[in-house]
């Protein structure tokens, strides 16, 4: 369906692709992987014709439709979320908008003298809407939005009043409703909670067209893709299988290439030693000359490309008392909506609680109460003796000082630390070389999240309260964070939609339900085994 043939592409001074080739066949579901800046989004833009390769070509079969979702959703306002999603379905969306305008006109007393004409136009538009299967489309649009976590009120409200994250979901819904021949999805799992993520998983598994996507969620990718295309060093390499298979094959190939490189280096060293030893002896001139010619003809084995991954090593946190968090008889409401009605919850040292619950269950509210960002209407929330808390939430990124560089921010926070120590810290969280000179105001969401995490973890608290800590983090940074937190000696309370993160780090689960909280001993995997679902209310 789509053929990428010997493409080369350079962006300013960076060479992204060098005579790279790949193919997307009918029915394939491809995960596109590679380090940040490798060219994943550029490849999507070349497939859609928004950019052209410098050399080579990208060709698509005649007549196929392509739906492209990316993080730049553009302006949305003045229509309902349902109408915005239906916009991707072509002419039917225009007819739906006309019907809505005509319905408003019929209710307008100032247009009573036009009523016969309005009713006639309404009948024509309604007939056209039925002809285009518009009523079924409206139902399908609502089904998609429901799967993506929208309430009925949000579906029918002005899309312009939604946050950026919810607008992302609307833009994604537009592509899903369109059901093109090929879907290109650039980080579709961003901004989704666990319930929506699992629904999207199911939708994409049942999608009959071809799919190419990027995602920083390895569990999500593993369940959907049957092929991986890796961008690395300007090349495109295909692997048949899911992400886990690709990771194993890549590690095996690197190991084999390293062994081959070392064998050849040993052989070369031996030959060079012989040449150096006997080059001045006439009796060995023929042998020396023969070996020199042999070395000239040998094709050199390159060592495997090393991806820089620096592990963050926690300094030991001070020991807290055994009682870390105590929540007693807490009531909390927002307007008429009751969140907690007498919540009791207790956390002891070294416990790692993940908090589960449907949208609106009060997951983030609990973390805010513990962090002191919110107060209970009734009841008490107390923190134990010797507890030093670190709180990460998305709004924590707003505290970064825009005029300071990354390195200046680190220096200001830790004036006693040496430059080498701070550069190592920056490197662990993906800021190497000149990156540390970037000013905070120009950082992306992912870069801000990494910097806030670095600031929080360098002088480690003994209680970590984390609200969606892996949002915006790429797979390499996420793996580094999981490995670092696995060795962390303190206590954790966190909310996450990343199942790999949940499974690796939790040893307790608190599920918030309308009937009240349910605590589960054991971590997320034990919770899944006992309840039969991966998220509250969803069957496996």
């Amino acid at each position: 369906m789509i053929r990428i043939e010997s493409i080369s592409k350079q962006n300013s001074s960076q060479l992204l692709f060098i005579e790279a080739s790949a193919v997307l066949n009918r029915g394939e579901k491809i995960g596109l992987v590679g380090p940040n800046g490798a060219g994943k989004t550029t490849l999507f833009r070349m497939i859609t014709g928004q950019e052209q390769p410098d050399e080579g070509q990208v060709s698509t079969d005649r007549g196929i439709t392509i739906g492209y979702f990316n993080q730049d959703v553009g302006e949305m306002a003045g229509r309902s979320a349902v109408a915005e999603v239906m916009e991707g379905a072509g002419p039917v969306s225009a007819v739906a908008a006309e019907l809505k305008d005509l319905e408003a006109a019929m209710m307008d007393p100032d247009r009573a003298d036009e009523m016969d004409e309005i009713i006639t136009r309404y009948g024509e538009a309604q007939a056209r809407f039925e002809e285009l299967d518009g009523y079924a489309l409206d139902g399908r649009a609502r089904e998609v939005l429901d799967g993506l976590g929208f309430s009925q009120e949000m579906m029918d409200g002005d899309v312009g009043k939604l946050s950026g994250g919810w607008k992302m979901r609307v833009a994604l819904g537009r592509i899903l409703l369109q059901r093109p021949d090929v879907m290109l999805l650039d980080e579709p799992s961003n901004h989704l909670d666990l319930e929506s993520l699992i629904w999207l998983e199911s939708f994409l598994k049942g999608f009959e067209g071809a799919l190419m996507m990027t995602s920083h969620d390895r569990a999500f990718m593993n369940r959907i893709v049957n092929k991986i295309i890796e961008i690395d060093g300007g090349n495109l390499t295909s692997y048949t299988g899911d992400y886990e298979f690709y990771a194993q094959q890549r590690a095996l190939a690197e190991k084999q290439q390293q062994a081959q490189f070392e064998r050849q280096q040993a052989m070369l060293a031996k030959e060079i030693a012989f040449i150096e030893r006997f080059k001045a002896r006439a009796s060995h001139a023929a042998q020396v000359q023969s070996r020199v010619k042999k070395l000239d003809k040998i094709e050199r084995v390159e060592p495997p490309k090393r991806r820089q991954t620096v592990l963050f090593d926690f300094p030991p946190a001070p020991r807290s008392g055994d009682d870390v968090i105590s929540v007693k008889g807490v009531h909390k409401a927002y307007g008429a909506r009751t969140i907690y009605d007498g919540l009791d919850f207790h956390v002891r040292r070294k416990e790692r609680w993940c908090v589960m619950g449907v949208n609106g269950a009060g997951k983030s509210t609990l973390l805010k109460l513990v962090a002191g960002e919110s107060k209970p209407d009734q009841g008490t929330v107390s923190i134990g003796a010797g507890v030093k808390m670190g709180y990460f939430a998305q709004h924590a990124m707003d505290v970064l000082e825009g005029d300071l560089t990354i390195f200046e921010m680190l220096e200001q926070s830790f004036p006693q630390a040496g430059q080498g120590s701070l550069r190592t810290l920056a490197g662990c969280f993906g800021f190497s070389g000149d990156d540390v000179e970037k000013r905070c105001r120009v950082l992306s969401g992912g870069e801000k999240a990494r910097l806030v995490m670095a600031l929080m973890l360098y002088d480690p608290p003994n209680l970590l309260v984390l609200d969606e800590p892996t949002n915006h983090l790429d797979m390499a940074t996420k793996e580094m964070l999981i490995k670092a937190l696995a060795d962390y000696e303190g206590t954790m309370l966190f909310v996450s939609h990343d199942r790999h993160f949940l499974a690796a780090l939790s040893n307790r689960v608190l599920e918030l339900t309308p009937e009240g909280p349910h605590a589960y001993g054991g971590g997320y995997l034990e919770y899944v085994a006992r309840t039969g679902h991966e998220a509250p209310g969803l069957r496996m």
Side-chain angles (χ1 to χ4, degrees), residues 18-34:
I18 309 165
E19 296 186 354
S21 299
V23 65
L24 172 61
N25 296 310
R26 193 173 301 278
E28 282 186 330
K29 292 183 168 63
I30 292 176
L32 184 63
V33 303

Side-chain angles (χ1 to χ4, degrees), residues 315-479:
R319 190 187 190 283
S320 71
D322 287 336
D323 295 315
V324 178
I325 302 169
S326 180
V327 176
K328 292 184 179 177
V330 163
H331 293 253
K332 184 69 179 177
Y334 292 109
R337 190 161 67 91
T338 298
I339 307 297
Y340 310 126
D341 186 14
L343 174 65
D344 293 310
F345 176 51
H346 193 75
V347 177
R348 293 180 62 80
R349 189 171 72 89
K350 289 197 173 185
E351 291 180 341
R352 297 161 173 242
W353 287 87
C354 69
V355 185
M356 309 287 293
V358 298
N359 270 340
K363 301 185 293 292
S364 292
T365 299
L366 176 59
L367 270 55
K368 288 177 183 175
L369 288 169
V370 169
E373 297 267 321
S374 181
K375 300 295 181 189
D377 300 333
Q378 294 178 41
T380 60
V381 178
S382 56
I383 303 302
V387 173
K388 178 186 175 188
M389 186 190 307
Y391 175 50
F392 178 89
Q394 300 305 304
H395 69 78
M397 296 186 282
D398 299 335
V399 306
L400 297 174
E401 296 184 32
D403 289 334
L404 295 183
T405 66
I406 290 170
F407 196 74
E408 287 168 346
M409 195 79 208
L410 293 173
E411 281 188 311
Q412 177 179 289
S413 302
F414 310 111
Q416 305 303 318
Q419 286 214 354
S421 174
L422 293 182
R423 286 191 179 277
T424 300
L425 173 67
C428 288
F429 285 87
F431 303 112
S432 57
D434 293 339
D435 287 344
V436 296
E437 300 306 323
K438 283 185 180 179
R439 299 208 177 273
C440 292
R441 65 167 168 266
V442 303
L443 299 181
S444 67
E447 288 170 325
K448 287 179 179 177
R450 298 200 314 262
L451 179 54
V452 170
M453 202 78 69
L455 292 168
M456 183 176 67
L457 296 180
Y458 183 68
D459 182 17
N462 50 33
L463 169 62
L464 289 175
V465 179
L466 309 174
D467 195 355
E468 297 290 3
T470 60
N471 272 6
H472 308 293
L473 298 186
D474 61 31
M475 280 198 193
T477 309
K478 204 180 288 187
E479 287 300 323

